[in-house]
Amino acid sequence: MFEPRVNPDNPEPRAACALLLDTSASMGGRPIAELNAGLQVFADDIKENTLARKRAEVCVVTFGGRAQRVSEFQEAQHFQAPMLTAGGATPLAEAILLGLSEIEQQKNAYKQNGLEYFRPWMVIMSDGTPTDSDSTIRQAVDALRAAQARKAITVFPIGVGDEADMAFLSTLSTARPAAAMRDVKSFAKFFEWLSVSMAQVSVSNTQVSSDAGLEQSVQVALPPTDEWRSA
């Protein structure tokens, strides 16, 4: 079984972020090109913060035809943006279950190594409607909402373009409705926002003890979303 990588020589508390990215056929052409460019912006920007580059850890899960982990959790200073391609259906629920598993394994690795950590983030970006079976969708939504009820994760659903199922995406977060991205040209601005947001969380003085029960949230003011979000 896959064991998340944790650098035991880095004693800094960790801020894990799982990126669940739609790579279905509808993302072909300009959307996937803009998504790849945005990921590269994120990879470059987050390395600029001397503390966040050691504390933030990033994992990428894609869902296009099938859900798969294309980049395992690793410190931001080592994160290389994967080159994504588009094709297939939209198994979003399968990706959620995989993302939850990846986060749980990573948290277990932190605990085993005596590392403190911030509440993990899950960013879910989709331009359509999930094509999973009804039972898989129910399982994924229930598991995601249960994790949030335990204060074990913070979820940011993002709808891309006019065909995104904003109603479904909004069911994924218990704290906020899904945000609509202005257009695919906004991917770069979104990932700039994410880089700054992760950096702000990473430099916070509030972290979760490795032996904590309910995980505590980090109350930091995130930057405005005006540059990438639809009104």
Side-chain angles (χ1 to χ4, degrees):
M1 178 179 294
F2 165 71
E3 292 292 340
R5 295 193 315 176
V6 171
N7 175 13
D9 297 326
N10 176 5
E12 297 289 344
R14 307 305 170 88
C17 179
L19 302 177
L20 275 55
L21 306 177
D22 192 338
T23 57
S24 60
S26 57
M27 286 288 291
R30 185 174 185 181
I32 201 70
E34 296 284 356
L35 176 56
N36 279 316
L39 271 176
Q40 189 60 58
V41 167
F42 175 72
D44 292 341
D45 282 2
I46 202 164
K47 292 181 177 70
E48 296 299 315
N49 186 295
T50 55
L51 196 55
R53 67 196 306 269
K54 294 185 291 183
R55 290 185 170 185
E57 295 198 331
V58 185
C59 168
V60 179
V61 170
T62 60
F63 49 103
R66 64 188 180 96
Q68 58 182 329
R69 188 196 74 230
V70 297
S71 179
E72 67 184 16
F73 271 112
Q74 55 192 295
E75 295 168 17
Q77 60 187 339
H78 303 306
F79 177 67
Q80 300 294 321
M83 183 58 64
L84 307 180
T85 58
T90 312
L92 172 52
E94 183 184 345
I96 289 171
L97 293 171
L98 177 56
L100 285 171
S101 175
E102 294 293 324
I103 287 173
E104 194 61 30
Q105 290 183 75
Q106 195 69 8
K107 290 195 308 187
N108 287 338
Y110 296 154
K111 294 171 186 177
Q112 290 165 8
N113 286 273
L115 296 171
E116 295 182 325
Y117 58 92
F118 302 89
R119 185 185 301 181
W121 285 14
M122 179 183 286
V123 174
I124 303 171
M125 305 187 77
S126 178
D127 74 339
T129 299
T131 54
D132 312 81
S133 67
D134 289 344
S135 61
T136 302
I137 291 173
R138 285 194 299 271
Q139 179 187 3
V141 172
D142 288 349
L144 191 60
R145 293 179 71 86
Q148 291 170 86
R150 297 193 306 272
K151 302 187 184 301
I153 191 172
T154 297
V155 179
F156 293 90
I158 312 292
V160 181
D162 296 336
E163 301 302 317
D165 189 340
M166 300 302 294
F168 173 76
L169 288 170
S170 289
T171 68
L172 302 181
S173 173
T174 59
R176 61 187 58 79
M181 182 176 288
R182 184 171 293 129
D183 53 47
V184 296
K185 293 185 292 184
S186 299
F187 274 122
K189 290 297 183 183
F190 169 80
F191 281 107
E192 287 177 7
W193 174 88
L194 182 61
S195 174
V196 173
S197 298
M198 289 298 296
Q200 287 183 270
V201 169
S202 297
V203 301
S204 167
N205 291 325
T206 305
Q207 63 263 358
V208 178
S209 172
S210 60
D211 60 356
L214 285 179
E215 297 173 352
Q216 302 300 310
S217 62
V218 177
Q219 300 298 327
V220 296
L222 299 181
T225 59
D226 300 350
E227 290 191 338
W228 60 266
R229 187 172 181 171
S230 296

